[in-house]
Structure formats: C-alpha cells, structure tokens
Amino acid sequence: MEIIKISGNELAEYLHDESRLSGNAEYLVFAKSEADIQDAVEFCLRRDICLTIQGSRTGITGGSVPAGGLILNLERMNKILGIRRDEAGSYFLRCEPGLKLAELREILFSRQYDISDWTAAAKIIWQEFINSGKYIFPPDPTETSASLGGMASCNASGARSYKYGATRLWLSNLKTYNLSAIKQDKLVPKPDITLPSKGVKNAAGYYLSESSRDFDLYIGAEGTLAIITELEIKLLPKPAHCWGVIQFFAGETAAVAFCEELKQQSYTASALEYFDHNALNLLRKYRQMWDTLPEMASNWKNAVYYEYEGDETELIEEAVFKAGDLAEKAGSSESNCWFADAEAGIQQLKNFRHAVPEAINAELDVIRQKDDRISKISTDLAVPAGYLHKMLRLYRQAEQDGWQVIAFGHIGNDHLHTNILVSDYQKWLSAKKLVIEWAKAAIAAGGSVSGEHGIGKIKRDLLQLMYGEKGIACFRSIKQQFDPDWILNRGNIIEREPVPGD
Amino acid sequence: MNSIVCIKQVPDTTEIRIDPVTNTLIREGVESIINPFDLYAIEEAVRIKEKFGGKVTALSMGPPQVEKALRDAVALGVDEIILLSDRKFAGADSWATSHTLSEAIKKIGEYDLIFFGQQAIDGDTGQVGPGVSAFLELPQVCFVKEIVEISENSVTVKRLMEEGFDVIQAPLPTVLSVVKDLNTPRLPSLRGKRLAKNTQLTVWNADDLGLDEKEIGLNGSPTQVVKIFSPKLDKEVEKLEGLTSEEAAERIYHRLKELGK
C-alpha cells in the first residue's frame, strides 16, 4: 500500500466535495484491496489519527471532506466481482465500493465486462444474464458519477425513488471492515428514539427501524460505523418503455393540485418532480445549460416533470393521456408541455431538471467570488403526505419578505430542495436561521431534516433539532460501540463528546 | 405555402454498439427514432406553416414500423403522413431511394418547399436530397442554416460554408437540405401526441407509384457495398509516473516536440 503525503496545494481536489466545504488531511491512500484498507486503518490507529472514507466526492453535506488524518479513497476499488441468481430469477451483482453509478449503467447497457477473474459458476450465470434482456439498477441520484459505496453510505435516492425507493431497497448484502466486534442486534442500550412519520423519506442519522438484516445500520451511516468493502446490488429487468412529460402551469397552486391528483392515479409514475417559478426563471437566465430544448413560453411559471415506465405501451399511453386531462383540469393545457417517448428526448428532459441545481451552483460561484464564507443553502426537508402545502406557505412568506427562494425537486415524496440565494454574508447568516425555522416546522409535522442528502458535517445542528439530546446521545453510543477510537469519518452525523480529562 | 419533409427512421445512436466479433451494429433492442437532422427540417416546415399557412406533409420510405416515425412527426406539427412501403423497395441505395421519393412527391403534387435533413445518421451519405432535386429537375440548396425570406415565388436562404455563408435566392418550388444551426426543434406536446394517434396514415406501394421493379429497391441500385469494417484505432499510451507536476509537464513538453517532428 502506498501512502501519499499531502503537501502544499497538491491533491487539493481530495479535500472537498460538492458542498464546497473544504477540509484538511496529512495522508492519502488509494486502496486497491481489503488488505490496503486494513493497512490504512492500522496506520491510523498506530498514529492516533482519524480516517475519512471517500468515494467520488459527489456528496453535498461534506461527508467525504477530511477532518485531518488520512484519506482512504476507494475510487480504485471499482470492479464487479461476481453475479448471483436467486430462486425467483432475480440477478445480483457483487461490486466493489468505488464503482461509479455511470460505469455500472454502461456495463449493464453494453453487457460487456471482463469476467476472466470470476469463478466458473459466475461466468455461466453471467452468460445467462446477458442473454436474458436488459437490466437496470434503479436508484438514480442526479449525479451519476456517485460511487456505489457513497450511495450506500448516504442511502442515496433520486427522482425515481418515487417509485423504486432509495438505495437501501436495492442492496441485498454488504461486506464491511469493522473496528469492533459489535453487531447491530447487540447494541446496548437498545436504541429508543422517535422516528419521523411512516412514509417520510429519511436519511437523517442512523437507521433505527426494525430490520432483520445485520447490515442495514451501515446503510446511511455516512461511513461512521464501518468501511464498506463490497456491496451486492439487486437488478431489475429494464422496463421496455419510458415516457416523460414536463407540464407547465401558470401558478404554484395549479401545479401542486395537479401533483396531488397524479399521486392518486392507479398507474404509479416512476418520477414526479417540481420546478417553482424562481427555478424556471433561473433556467431562463442559464439558457445555455439546456439549449437543445426550445424556449419556454413567457406564461409558463411553474412546471412538473413526470415519467411513466412499463412493458405495455397501451397502459403508459392511457396513464399519460389521463395526466393530460388532469393538467387541463388544473388549468393548464395539453399544448403547454414537452413530451418524450424515446431515450434521447427523455435525456433532454432530465438535463432540464439537472440544470436547476447546476444553475444554482453557477449563481453561488459568482456570490462566493465576493465572499467565500457563503456556502450553499439547500434544504432537504421531507414531510408526511398532506403537509407540503404548509411548507410551501413558509417558502412563499419568505419570498414576500425579500428572500430569493428556489423550490424544486421530489414533490412526489413531499420532499423539495428549497434553496436560498443571498448576496452577502450577513444575509447568509440570517438565511441559516430561516432554514432552522423551516426545519422546526418540518419536524413538527412528523418530517425529516434530511430526505436524501444525509447530515454530513454541515447539518448536525438540524439533526440535533430533530432528535434532541436523547437522540444524539443514542447515536453517540452506537458510534462508540462500533468505532471505539472514533477514527472513522470523524465529524459526520455527530461530534465526539469531549471525554472527561481529555 | 405547402411543404414536404422527407424523413428517415434510424436506430437511436445513444444506444448503438458494435459487435466486437462481427463488426456489425447490434440492433437488438435498439429504439428507432426520427433521424435527428430531419427534426430541424420538420421544425422549419412547421414554423413556415404557422407563419404563412398551408400544410406540411411528411414522407418516408421503409418497412411498416416506420409508421411510428411518421406519427412522431405529426406530434411535432406535421399535418399529413405518407409511407412508401413495399418489399420491392428493400435494399435501395441513395439513387433508388431518391427516384422512389421523387415519384411520390410528383404524386403528392402540391408543394412549394421540399425539406431534407443534412444526412441520415446511419448511412451518412447526404445524397438523397440532391438526388430528389435531380429527379424532379428542381433547384436545390444544401447546408441551409437560415431561411432569410420567403416570397410568393422565391426563397432566400443562407448556406453554411467552411468560413462563413452564402446567401442564395432560389425560385419555388425548391429542395432544401438543412443543418442543425437552422433552429431548435420543439418537443412534441401531449396535444400533438393525441393528434398523432388519430391521424390517417397513407401507404403507397410500387404499383401506386407506377414504378417498374427494375428501377427500385436492390434492382434499381447501382451502389455495391464491398466491405464494412470498424476502423482500427491506432493509439499508444505512454504513462509518466512518479513525477512532480513540473517534471511531468517538462517531460510531456519535450515528448510532444519530438512527436511533432
């Protein structure tokens, strides 16, 4: 194992993630095997320094930003190690944690992979697999350069989690490198905290729901409990058809009413996403980010993206035309939309959706040139069904009070990413306080402070709000039992309590 | 102002893979789409209709499944769709295709402008537009990047050149092959999708066009494909390891200088 000493500005890219939070570290290791991981951990224990696990650094809460010590980068552990088929005929791939989602998709698409190292049995199953049609791995975080290990560590979701759920549901097994012998079901005391209402997307803190799987606790633990060294992922036969529509509306009330109606339909959409008027205006400003699409009409204020998938065109067509009726009923028209039923068109619609956070980042970069203390203010608040309108009222009130509020994202799961863009540091400080007020409202409604991004190093105050002292103490006790020396991903989720006499 | 847009159904290139053993396209499970260049032609014809009135007819030749591409064209604003489909058309090269399309255009009769995309992304010849203009003895402009003006009996266009553009005026009717600088094609709306479902498709075969078997399909095609292969990629990688950025930059600089000799 080669340990690289970090000096000066070299390797600066490994010191930050997409949150724009920057950290520091003394050493960097590109692990290629479990043996390297073990060596790196022992190196850290000997020197009493902490270890930060990195995948592709696409997170937006600083989870892979080092807090000193050593960076254990896993991007070179990116192989697929084997394949399995269960009795029901489902296929599972055994992957290393550094494999990127985009790389996995390419392999699933081309069905070409070098399997010369695999066992004879796995080779036979692979042949059957590539002859049995196309498959997908359903979780779809917007940033496809995310690594599988990172996706598991944050329990990533994305637009399609409306239908397919988060990454957890598509992981059938995990192999981890542990620093203690403790097991999930032997935790003392047994965790006892109040979780968000059922059905709320939740990526805040450790997973404490009832589970019979001994690896569930590691999913969403943001690398604080163990190092994921291997993942077994479940694949799904690719639906033969996918149709997508961006429907435009003249106001938020109509757009939200349309979404509520669409959620009642018997054929479930695979994605249901929202763009508020400020999101569309920002996209108008950053026209170059989506210039393969035509201009938006000036009376298109708000938009909803929805997608239907399946093997039978007739059913999809029926669902889409029904959605068209609902859009008309909500006051829009079947002419005020963009429709796509082939890969290229769907990709254009997705790029339009992806352009919203990209445009926000572009605005933020300009602001940060003036004052780099200002970081991104992007909420990840998820609330139970029926409570979104309350949140939207708060966002619109803030807008009336003069804030630039951009709300977009996973309306199907009552989970919007509401961003605030500010012009100076004083306003940034006030905006942070405003977000705390919003978080309190979401928690009071039975929601979560993080639907999918996780807590990382920048949302610990929100986690405290959500679970209180008792909850944080519970998390701290779990962390202590799995990682007695607190070397793993220090600063994520919870801070180490000062030890008396330390 | 009536336009005819000739379109082709092609495999979606975002899904194209080459079989490494046989060097042929893997077509299994690949979606078919309207040739992307043809979308600019459709868009321009529809814009002209929206401005000056008239109608847009989309015309295509191919097997029955090409109906999907034609219906997609309706969703984009085309009014009438005609499919030239007959086993006897199979195997046509750009000559036979141009000939067959031009006979269909004669049969349609009413037209001021005939649009083509610059080329199809599968065959890449770009010859069918010019071929049709030759068979119909009509003027043609290729690489059209802008339509400057349309009057009752002429069209003025900008033709894209290597270092600028030509401004060309042509009498109507005329044949235009367009490039993607021309416009940003719209996406269909749901209203368009409904119209597409309910529009009548006209299908013509060789007899409908009064064409002799010798003039069409493989029999009417002078082109012979001798061999198809994937070009061999000739690249060598040199890896510089264990160097600081300055040393690496220095080495690369000298190596590039060497290679440039």
Side-chain angles (χ1 to χ4, degrees):
Chain A
M1 176 193 68
E2 189 196 356
I3 296 181
I4 302 164
K5 183 99 174 80
I6 299 176
S7 62
N9 283 330
E10 299 249 324
L11 306 167
E13 66 201 272
Y14 295 96
L15 301 179
H16 62 81
D17 72 356
E18 288 292 313
S19 69
R20 282 141 166 93
L21 179 73
S22 199
N24 63 83
E26 289 172 76
Y27 306 100
L28 172 63
V29 168
F30 291 105
K32 290 184 184 130
S33 64
E34 285 184 46
D36 285 350
I37 292 175
Q38 179 165 355
D39 287 351
V41 169
E42 283 168 4
F43 179 87
C44 292
L45 288 172
R46 275 199 304 275
R47 282 170 178 72
D48 194 20
I49 56 173
C50 66
L51 179 154
T52 302
I53 310 156
Q54 283 186 348
S56 305
R57 290 171 291 108
T58 58
I60 46 183
T61 61
S64 63
V65 175
L70 178 142
I71 298 168
L72 178 65
N73 187 295
L74 300 180
E75 66 188 15
R76 294 184 191 172
M77 283 180 73
N78 63 351
K79 289 201 278 295
I80 299 179
L81 304 166
I83 189 167
R84 172 172 77 87
R85 191 185 54 219
D86 70 4
E87 285 169 1
S90 296
Y91 287 98
F92 302 82
L93 290 179
R94 205 154 53 79
C95 308
E96 289 187 322
L99 184 68
K100 291 177 167 57
L101 178 62
E103 293 168 342
L104 173 69
R105 284 187 180 165
E106 176 57 29
I107 293 162
L108 290 177
F109 177 73
S110 66
R111 288 171 283 177
Q112 287 175 13
Y113 192 70
D114 178 4
I115 58 166
S116 49
D117 297 342
W118 290 15
T119 62
K123 283 178 183 167
I124 292 169
I125 296 174
W126 176 258
Q127 278 311 320
E128 289 167 3
F129 169 69
I130 61 177
N131 291 327
S132 69
K134 288 186 179 175
Y135 284 79
I136 56 168
F137 176 58
D140 71 329
T142 312
E143 181 53 67
T144 59
S145 59
S147 67
L148 293 185
M151 287 172 65
S153 297
C154 299
N155 192 28
S157 45
R160 288 182 175 182
S161 62
Y162 179 59
K163 179 173 181 183
Y164 297 114
T167 303
R168 180 184 308 280
L169 296 174
W170 301 93
L171 294 174
S172 50
N173 205 355
L174 286 185
K175 203 169 150 191
T176 53
Y177 180 89
N178 286 49
L179 279 72
S180 83
I182 188 78
K183 293 278 186 231
Q184 180 174 320
D185 55 350
K186 298 285 185 301
L187 287 169
V188 189
K190 226 175 152 37
D192 171 30
I193 59 174
T194 311
L195 295 169
S197 302
K198 211 168 161 16
V200 171
K201 260 170 102 178
N202 182 24
Y206 296 137
Y207 182 73
L208 297 177
S209 302
E210 282 292 320
S211 165
S212 56
R213 311 194 304 177
D214 63 3
F215 56 87
D216 255 330
L217 187 58
Y218 303 127
I219 302 171
E222 304 184 25
T224 58
L225 302 181
I227 302 169
I228 297 172
T229 57
E230 229 179 82
L231 311 92
E232 191 187 68
I233 61 170
K234 184 179 179 181
L235 303 177
L236 181 77
K238 186 183 179 184
H241 307 284
C242 176
W243 290 17
V245 177
I246 294 182
Q247 179 74 51
F248 294 93
F249 295 87
E252 187 156 88
T253 312
V256 174
F258 168 74
C259 291
E260 290 304 325
E261 290 271 11
L262 204 66
K263 284 164 77 172
Q264 305 302 322
Q265 299 307 304
S266 53
Y267 198 96
T268 308
S270 45
L272 182 54
E273 299 279 302
Y274 179 59
F275 307 70
D276 79 351
H277 56 285
N278 291 324
L280 292 194
N281 282 338
L282 198 59
L283 288 178
R284 286 185 172 97
K285 181 172 172 185
Y286 288 89
R287 176 78 176 104
Q288 75 279 8
M289 289 183 176
W290 50 282
D291 60 2
T292 62
L293 286 165
E295 295 270 6
M296 284 184 270
S298 58
N299 62 345
W300 291 357
K301 306 283 189 205
N302 306 62
V304 173
Y305 172 63
Y306 62 91
E307 199 178 280
Y308 282 103
E309 285 178 320
D311 294 328
E312 290 177 57
T313 321
E314 295 74 22
L315 292 179
I316 300 178
E317 186 178 270
E318 195 184 321
V320 167
F321 284 149
K322 176 75 193 166
D325 292 340
L326 294 174
E328 299 231 333
K329 191 177 144 199
S332 184
S333 127
E334 285 195 347
S335 301
N336 294 341
C337 67
W338 293 333
F339 168 87
D341 62 359
E343 192 71 29
I346 296 277
Q347 205 49 53
Q348 281 182 291
L349 301 186
K350 286 191 169 168
N351 287 346
F352 185 78
R353 163 67 180 80
H354 196 173
V356 179
E358 297 279 313
I360 291 170
N361 287 347
E363 285 283 283
L364 186 65
D365 285 341
V366 175
I367 297 164
R368 277 172 56 86
Q369 277 172 8
K370 284 181 253 163
D371 192 335
D372 66 6
R373 290 175 298 175
I374 296 172
S375 63
K376 189 169 181 172
I377 300 182
S378 169
T379 75
D380 188 23
L381 305 171
V383 291
Y387 284 90
L388 190 74
H389 63 283
K390 286 194 172 173
M391 299 307 294
L392 284 168
R393 270 210 295 277
L394 292 177
Y395 303 152
R396 294 309 151 220
Q397 181 59 50
E399 198 178 344
Q400 279 177 20
D401 295 342
W403 295 101
Q404 189 183 354
V405 175
I406 300 155
F408 68 97
H410 320 304
I411 197 164
N413 291 112
D414 299 288
H415 173 214
L416 295 182
H417 296 304
T418 305
N419 282 242
I420 307 177
L421 282 173
V422 294
S423 52
D424 64 57
Y425 186 63
Q426 285 309 317
K427 289 214 174 75
W428 182 79
L429 290 172
S430 311
K432 295 287 266 188
K433 286 185 189 150
L434 181 59
V435 168
I436 288 181
E437 294 310 310
W438 292 350
K440 282 180 182 166
I443 296 164
S448 169
V449 297
S450 173
E452 63 180 347
H453 295 162
I455 297 300
K457 297 180 178 66
I458 64 177
K459 292 191 175 175
R460 287 186 304 235
D461 54 341
L462 298 184
L463 189 73
Q464 174 103 19
L465 275 181
M466 183 170 164
Y467 288 125
E469 282 298 337
K470 189 177 144 202
I472 298 299
C474 166
F475 291 153
R476 209 171 260 137
S477 147
I478 294 170
K479 166 78 173 167
Q480 182 72 34
Q481 293 175 69
F482 275 90
D483 178 15
D485 297 297
W486 285 70
I487 73 161
L488 294 181
N489 281 21
R490 198 175 282 173
N492 284 1
I493 304 179
I494 35 169
E495 287 224 83
R496 187 179 194 176
E497 205 169 28
V499 178
D502 199 1
Chain B
M1 190 66 55
N2 295 326
S3 300
I4 296 170
V5 189
C6 297
I7 66 173
K8 185 176 185 185
Q9 189 180 50
V10 296
D12 188 347
T13 45
T14 56
E15 297 212 6
I16 288 293
R17 290 293 182 282
I18 307 279
D19 185 315
V21 182
T22 60
N23 273 334
T24 53
L25 290 184
I26 301 172
R27 285 178 186 268
E28 181 237 323
V30 176
E31 276 186 287
S32 292
I33 54 169
I34 297 177
N35 174 42
F37 287 114
D38 300 347
L39 294 175
Y40 301 90
I42 293 172
E43 176 67 27
E44 202 62 24
V46 171
R47 285 186 190 187
I48 289 169
K49 173 190 78 172
E50 286 168 351
K51 197 168 169 190
F52 297 101
K55 68 174 181 186
V56 180
T57 305
L59 174 65
S60 191
M61 184 174 103
Q65 57 264 35
V66 174
E67 176 177 352
K68 163 88 169 74
L70 286 165
R71 293 202 182 278
D72 286 351
V74 175
L76 293 167
V78 163
D79 305 287
E80 292 179 4
I81 45 178
I82 301 168
L83 173 62
L84 311 181
S85 199
D86 193 320
R87 283 184 179 279
K88 295 172 192 161
F89 294 148
D93 67 358
S94 49
W95 176 281
T97 304
S98 305
H99 183 38
T100 311
L101 287 175
S102 59
E103 287 306 311
I105 290 168
K106 281 183 200 163
K107 191 171 160 79
I108 294 169
E110 288 177 11
Y111 53 85
D112 302 290
L113 288 164
I114 301 169
F115 282 97
F116 284 85
Q118 171 189 344
Q119 66 202 63
I121 56 166
D122 55 354
D124 261 349
T125 70
Q127 293 166 355
V128 175
V132 165
S133 81
F135 278 110
L136 292 175
E137 295 181 349
L138 290 179
Q140 56 145 331
V141 187
C142 293
F143 306 109
V144 172
K145 69 179 282 263
E146 189 185 328
I147 293 188
V148 184
E149 200 188 355
I150 298 178
S151 70
E152 206 167 310
N153 40 32
S154 77
V155 59
T156 309
V157 301
K158 285 183 184 171
R159 174 169 68 181
L160 183 68
M161 303 298 285
E162 282 87 352
E163 291 175 350
F165 57 86
D166 297 334
V167 179
I168 296 173
Q169 190 180 50
L172 297 178
T174 198
V175 177
L176 303 176
S177 291
V178 306
V179 296
K180 60 184 186 180
D181 308 45
L182 186 62
N183 54 45
T184 307
R186 72 194 66 192
L187 281 164
S189 66
L190 275 180
R191 187 175 165 273
K193 185 73 190 163
R194 276 197 212 263
L195 276 174
K197 205 182 162 194
N198 301 325
T199 296
Q200 175 76 36
L201 171 75
T202 304
V203 183
W204 289 338
N205 60 22
D207 291 342
D208 293 326
L209 298 180
L211 282 163
D212 189 277
E213 269 186 56
K214 288 194 214 83
E215 307 169 85
I216 56 176
L218 199 57
N219 292 336
S221 297
T223 317
Q224 280 186 27
V225 178
V226 180
K227 188 182 175 190
I228 294 178
F229 61 96
S230 289
K232 195 170 159 246
L233 281 177
D234 232 0
K235 66 176 177 190
E236 283 173 33
V237 178
E238 291 176 39
K239 232 176 175 176
L240 302 174
E241 283 178 302
L243 302 175
T244 67
S245 334
E246 286 80 9
E247 287 166 349
E250 181 81 15
R251 286 273 287 279
I252 291 170
Y253 168 74
H254 288 294
R255 188 73 186 105
L256 285 175
K257 260 185 113 171
E258 244 176 79
L259 289 169
K261 274 178 192 165

